[in-house]
């Protein structure tokens, strides 16, 4: 895949998981069934997201202790915190599951503790998502402009030229 195609794929995956996360954060709006199945699909997409950024992950990890103040280092800490919050979310989600687990023929006794862990992990993940997006705001703005705003603007320009030349006839 060429560099720009890869960036565009990354951008669309990132927008997809961002919107999915916001929907998953509103189980009262979506209902528990959509919440659980969407969260499962979300977990799979996170693995794809990590694989697409694998070179960055293995590139930064060895340098972690090399320099004290470094932007990548802060990113690494935020991303690690985000990842651990997501793992806790998925694990605790399974522990309190009302739909996915029974669909797999499994059931666990209700636990107030797992429910609290799920709530706390959701809050932590939301904060981490804000920081994660904040740290990548330049990349989001640059590529959002290049791969979303510019193609839409070009479409409008094309249809304006087409209607102008149709009106001129
Ligand atoms: C990205 C992953 C996930 C996020 C962001 C998320 C977020 C949330 C949030 C914000 C709540 C409401 C908590 C409250 O205020 O009561 C909730 C509830 C719930 N979640 Fe998740 N969740 C995720 C994954 C999962 C998974 C994988 C499952 C199960 C397979 C699950 C099962 C549930 C259940 C059953 C409830 C309702 C608890 C209750 O009110 O009794 N969640 N989740």
């Amino acid at each position: 895949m060429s560099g720009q195609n890869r960036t565009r794929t990354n951008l669309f995956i990132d927008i997809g998981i961002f919107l999915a996360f916001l929907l998953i954060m509103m189980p009262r709006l979506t209902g528990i069934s959509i919440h659980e199945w969407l969260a499962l699909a979300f977990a799979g997409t996170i693995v794809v997201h990590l694989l697409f950024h694998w070179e960055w992950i293995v590139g930064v990890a060895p340098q972690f202790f090399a320099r004290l103040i470094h932007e990548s280092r802060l990113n690494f800490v935020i991303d690690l915190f985000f990842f651990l919050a997501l793992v806790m979310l998925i694990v605790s989600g399974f522990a309190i599951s009302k739909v996915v687990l029974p669909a797999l023929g499994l059931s666990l006794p209700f636990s107030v503790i797992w429910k609290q862990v799920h709530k706390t992990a959701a809050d932590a993940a939301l904060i981490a998502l804000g920081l994660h997006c904040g740290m990548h705001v330049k990349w989001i703005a640059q590529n959002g402009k290049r791969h979303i705003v510019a193609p839409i603007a070009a479409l409008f320009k094309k249809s304006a030229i087409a209607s102008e030349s149709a009106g001129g006839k």
Side-chain angles (χ1 to χ4, degrees), residues 34-52:
I34 291 179
H35 175 78
E36 292 194 11
W37 289 112
L38 190 59
L40 214 58
F42 172 87
T45 319
I46 285 293
V47 174
V48 175
H49 178 80
L50 292 179
L51 289 177
F52 268 110

Side-chain angles (χ1 to χ4, degrees), residues 8-124:
R8 194 171 47 214
T9 308
N10 271 328
L11 180 70
F12 289 133
I13 292 177
D14 295 353
I15 291 172
I17 47 184
F18 178 76
L19 295 178
F21 184 83
L22 295 188
L23 261 183
I24 298 168
M25 281 300 286
M26 297 181 273
R28 283 183 193 100
L29 188 81
T30 61
I32 282 298
S33 194
I34 291 179
H35 175 78
E36 292 194 11
W37 289 112
L38 190 59
L40 214 58
F42 172 87
T45 319
I46 285 293
V47 174
V48 175
H49 178 80
L50 292 179
L51 289 177
F52 268 110
H53 295 283
W54 193 248
E55 275 173 32
W56 184 87
I57 295 168
V58 293
V60 166
Q63 297 171 16
F64 189 76
F65 295 101
R67 285 189 241 169
L68 207 61
I69 299 169
H70 193 267
E71 193 185 319
S72 300
R73 190 185 166 99
L74 182 59
N75 270 324
F76 196 83
V77 172
I78 291 171
D79 294 356
L80 187 65
F81 174 71
F82 194 12
F83 179 73
L84 294 177
L86 287 179
V87 170
M88 278 319 288
L89 253 178
I90 308 285
V91 171
S92 59
F94 270 105
I96 59 168
S97 171
K98 293 172 182 168
V99 179
V100 171
L101 222 55
L104 298 173
L106 302 165
S107 72
L108 287 171
F110 175 76
S111 155
V112 188
I113 294 175
W114 277 119
K115 196 175 159 182
Q116 190 52 51
V117 170
H118 197 63
K119 263 186 181 178
T120 309
D123 291 342

